[in-house]
Amino acid sequence: MKVPKVFTPVIRIAQFTIADEIRQRSFIVMFVICSLFIFMVRGCYQGDYRLDGQEIEAAKIIIMLSRITFHVIAGGMMFLAGLLAMRIFRRDRDDGTQSFILSKPISRRQYVSGKVLGLWTLLTVFMFVLHGIVFLITSVRLNIVMPEYLWSSAWCSINLFFIIVAVLTLSLMMPDVAALLCVVGIGIIGVVSNAFSAVSRTPIGQAILQHSQSDVSMWQVIDYAWPQIAGVQRFAVSFIGANEFGVHASVYPVINILAYCILSGVLLFRRFGKEEII
Amino acid sequence: MHNILLTEKSVSNILPAMIELKSVTKKFGSLVAVDNVSFSVGTGEYFALLGPNGAGKTTVVRMLLDFTRPTSGSLSVDGLPAERARCRAAVGYLPENHRIPTNLSGWQYLQRCAKLIGLKHDEAEDQCMRIVELIGMQGREHSKSGTYSKGMMQRFGLGVALIGRPKLLILDEPASGLDPIGIRETRQLLESLKNQGMTLILNSHLLSEVEKICDSAAIINHGKLMVRDKISSLVKDGDSLEDVFVRLVKG
């Protein structure tokens, strides 16, 4: 298949970005530590689980464990995405890569797209490999094949994309660490509003809130409009063991994050278009 | 008042314009870095952009490459507006403080450049090998850039500027960090490129070199264009370009 000419430099820049990141010692160390962590978790997939002397169905425990591991990996990767994205423009500026690329017939949009694509591909593959290790452990040790684990991983990559674009955009407006902390803050507020909104829907929660005369609707609005990073994770995880639990989460968080990806992407293009190249 | 000699028309009428600046002004807050500057450089012309530190030379170069946008006025390169990425297909650029990422060798850097402008693998290899020879870096091209001296970095920077056989070379202080042999070799290289129809915009403080290499020059001071003429017209009666420069800048 022939790649349209306009995408060729984007793909090239993405390749360079991946090669540059992989060559960083900190990235290799991070990858080794994460892989070791996953291998250490494999002990949890062995043995019988008993409660009050009664044997619990192993499959359910394993699925629950797999879901927790899934969240831990995805959460860790989101943080890593923020860490890598926050310094990417500064490093390119400092080592002359930015002026080198932009002095060629390459537009700023192509440069930014290449950077985002490279980082996103790298982190998605990284996350997929880690999730793949868990998938292999469950498949080999317990003969429980969960192909949905890999699908869920692919869904979670939407979050990675949002975090990369958001951190890159904010890193053009504020110091790198502040940009990372802002996006971490967005994630935390999302989780809190999500939890608050979920509790407020339960009968006990409604009774408490009526008693304390709190404004429930405000939290529900925030929960609805705020970037639903946690919601996408929940949606992705709902595929794991869906046959056992039979519950599928709402698809709304995916639409919400995709909308935020577009919004952040537009902001990133506009902001970088005005940037002074040094 | 400075003696302003604008005889641009006599120069630009000879050749079609490779670059053209029309009433370009660039302000950084209240600071006027470039003040209503207009001039053009013809195809095949070797042109020097001169001026004291902070005069606005690098800002002009950066505007030509769309690294920064003018506050008012317009710039064109090879007949296209400077903000169009496509016009940079004709341009090779060597920045003032050229750097190569420390994780790359000079060879990898050249290869990256060749791939970025869309050269096929074989063509990229050929050009990179030819350029390594041209810049005199055989035997060191595979060393990591962290081991290079400033002069070696500069040579690779010049090599990168030459990849893709550009029509216009923009060199910002190309002699920076080069030893006398390097300066001489660079001059010889530029002279050989002149025969191939290359256009050069040279931003340099080495006025003796400028005098040897360039056909014409413009002197900018405090963002204003003081003079733009052929070097042979500027330098008269046993004067050197340096004398003319000092006279114009110091008033």
Side-chain angles (χ1 to χ4, degrees):
Chain A
M1 198 180 75
K2 205 173 177 189
V3 181
K5 233 178 179 178
V6 71
F7 294 122
T8 317
V10 175
I11 293 167
R12 288 281 183 222
I13 293 166
Q15 286 172 341
F16 298 155
T17 307
I18 293 170
D20 288 344
E21 290 299 337
I22 287 175
R23 283 197 190 110
Q24 301 285 324
R25 206 168 294 158
S26 56
F27 184 85
I28 298 165
V29 169
M30 195 77 81
F31 185 78
V32 171
I33 290 172
C34 290
S35 303
L36 280 175
F37 166 75
I38 304 299
F39 274 111
M40 279 154 70
V41 172
R42 78 189 189 282
C44 300
Y45 293 94
Q46 285 177 311
D48 301 325
Y49 290 89
R50 287 174 183 277
L51 186 66
D52 283 343
Q54 293 225 318
E55 198 172 316
I56 305 167
E57 203 183 329
K60 280 195 173 170
I61 295 287
I62 285 157
I63 288 165
M64 282 310 292
L65 261 174
S66 302
R67 284 183 164 195
I68 293 165
T69 319
F70 186 93
H71 277 305
V72 172
I73 293 171
M77 289 313 297
M78 283 194 280
F79 190 67
L80 184 62
L83 279 175
L84 293 182
M86 75 174 191
R87 60 178 190 176
I88 214 156
F89 283 147
R90 183 170 45 86
R91 201 181 58 204
D92 272 12
R93 229 179 359 246
D94 292 347
D95 68 14
T97 303
Q98 216 167 65
S99 60
F100 160 70
I101 292 175
L102 292 171
S103 68
K104 304 292 164 207
I106 289 159
S107 69
R108 293 181 182 212
R109 285 184 182 194
Q110 285 173 319
Y111 166 74
V112 171
S113 305
K115 285 283 154 192
V116 172
L117 179 67
L119 209 50
W120 181 63
T121 308
L122 178 70
L123 289 162
T124 300
V125 170
F126 191 165
M127 184 167 73
F128 197 78
V129 168
L130 295 181
H131 282 147
I133 294 171
V134 179
F135 167 74
L136 282 175
I137 290 170
T138 53
S139 303
V140 171
R141 290 200 166 227
L142 302 152
N143 288 327
I144 297 174
V145 181
M146 291 191 292
E148 65 270 24
Y149 209 81
L150 303 177
W151 282 117
S152 302
S153 182
W155 279 111
C156 262
S157 67
I158 299 170
N159 271 344
L160 294 181
F161 190 86
F162 168 69
I163 284 169
I164 290 166
V165 176
V167 173
L168 284 177
T169 311
L170 292 172
S171 73
L172 293 172
M173 303 172 191
M174 55 182 79
D176 301 344
V177 178
L180 174 71
L181 291 177
C182 271
V183 176
V184 169
I186 289 171
I188 291 170
I189 291 172
V191 170
V192 170
S193 67
N194 205 241
F196 207 86
S197 178
V199 168
S200 70
R201 280 190 215 106
T202 61
I204 297 170
Q206 277 173 347
I208 294 169
L209 288 165
Q210 268 175 358
H211 186 69
S212 63
Q213 292 179 328
S214 295
D215 188 7
V216 188
S217 58
M218 183 192 81
W219 282 104
Q220 282 173 346
V221 168
I222 291 174
D223 180 41
Y224 197 74
W226 201 257
Q228 301 236 343
I229 299 171
V232 171
Q233 287 242 131
R234 233 183 10 259
F235 173 77
V237 161
S238 71
F239 286 97
I240 301 169
N243 296 337
E244 287 289 329
F245 296 103
V247 185
H248 266 296
S250 158
V251 77
Y252 170 72
V254 177
I255 297 163
N256 170 295
I257 285 290
L258 283 175
Y260 272 104
C261 283
I262 294 166
L263 185 69
S264 316
V266 170
L267 270 176
L268 178 59
F269 280 147
R270 285 180 71 95
R271 188 65 187 77
F272 193 80
K274 291 177 186 162
E275 196 73 0
E276 298 274 330
I277 308 299
I278 300 162
Chain B
M1 271 303 286
H2 298 303
N3 186 16
I4 299 177
L5 309 161
L6 290 174
T7 52
E8 188 198 330
K9 272 187 180 171
S10 60
V11 180
S12 60
N13 278 349
I14 305 164
L15 303 159
M18 174 57 83
I19 70 156
E20 197 163 11
L21 283 84
K22 284 182 189 164
S23 312
V24 173
T25 298
K26 175 69 188 179
K27 290 179 186 169
F28 294 104
S30 60
L31 177 80
V32 184
V34 177
D35 191 0
N36 197 28
V37 168
S38 301
F39 66 85
S40 61
V41 177
T43 305
E45 191 178 348
Y46 268 34
F47 175 81
L49 198 52
L50 309 175
N53 292 329
K57 308 181 298 288
T58 301
T59 307
V60 168
V61 167
R62 290 178 61 225
M63 283 192 285
L64 283 170
L65 294 159
D66 195 36
F67 286 1
T68 185
R69 302 253 160 93
T71 311
S72 65
S74 66
L75 301 95
S76 71
V77 178
D78 199 20
L80 291 168
E83 59 267 22
R84 294 267 291 273
R86 202 152 54 87
C87 75
R88 293 194 291 277
V91 181
Y93 169 60
L94 170 66
E96 188 177 358
N97 295 310
H98 180 254
R99 292 150 288 175
I100 302 176
T102 46
N103 59 333
L104 296 178
S105 67
W107 178 260
Q108 287 169 321
Y109 194 60
L110 289 171
Q111 285 276 318
R112 273 195 178 190
C113 178
K115 284 177 184 165
L116 265 181
I117 59 170
L119 294 186
K120 298 245 160 53
H121 183 261
D122 290 346
E123 201 184 350
E125 289 274 314
D126 277 356
Q127 275 209 30
C128 290
M129 278 202 293
R130 189 179 57 82
I131 279 167
V132 166
E133 261 180 56
L134 211 60
I135 58 173
M137 290 303 295
Q138 304 101 307
R140 288 304 307 272
E141 70 269 35
H142 295 295
S143 311
K144 291 283 176 214
S145 71
T147 65
Y148 294 160
S149 67
K150 194 168 184 279
M152 290 157 107
M153 288 267 198
Q154 206 69 358
R155 282 169 187 252
F156 273 110
L158 185 59
V160 163
L162 291 171
I163 283 191
R165 298 187 180 90
K167 289 193 264 183
L168 167 67
L169 261 187
I170 301 177
L171 308 181
D172 201 350
E173 295 293 350
S176 168
L178 291 182
D179 56 27
I181 298 167
I183 293 174
R184 191 181 186 157
E185 284 172 357
T186 306
R187 190 200 324 135
Q188 285 166 349
L189 173 65
L190 293 176
E191 279 165 356
S192 72
L193 291 169
K194 193 175 192 176
N195 299 330
Q196 296 166 28
M198 177 84 76
T199 307
L200 173 73
I201 295 183
L202 182 63
N203 192 345
S204 177
H205 290 300
L206 287 178
L207 300 182
S208 58
E209 286 301 312
V210 168
E211 213 171 333
K212 285 175 193 162
I213 298 169
C214 294
D215 308 315
S216 56
I219 297 175
I220 297 181
N221 196 16
H222 299 302
K224 284 193 163 78
L225 182 68
M226 310 289 299
V227 62
R228 191 262 189 256
D229 209 340
K230 284 185 175 178
I231 291 198
S232 56
S233 308
L234 287 171
V235 181
K236 286 174 189 165
D237 307 329
D239 270 0
S240 64
L241 185 60
E242 191 180 303
D243 297 329
V244 177
F245 179 83
V246 172
R247 203 182 308 133
L248 277 169
V249 170
K250 285 204 161 183

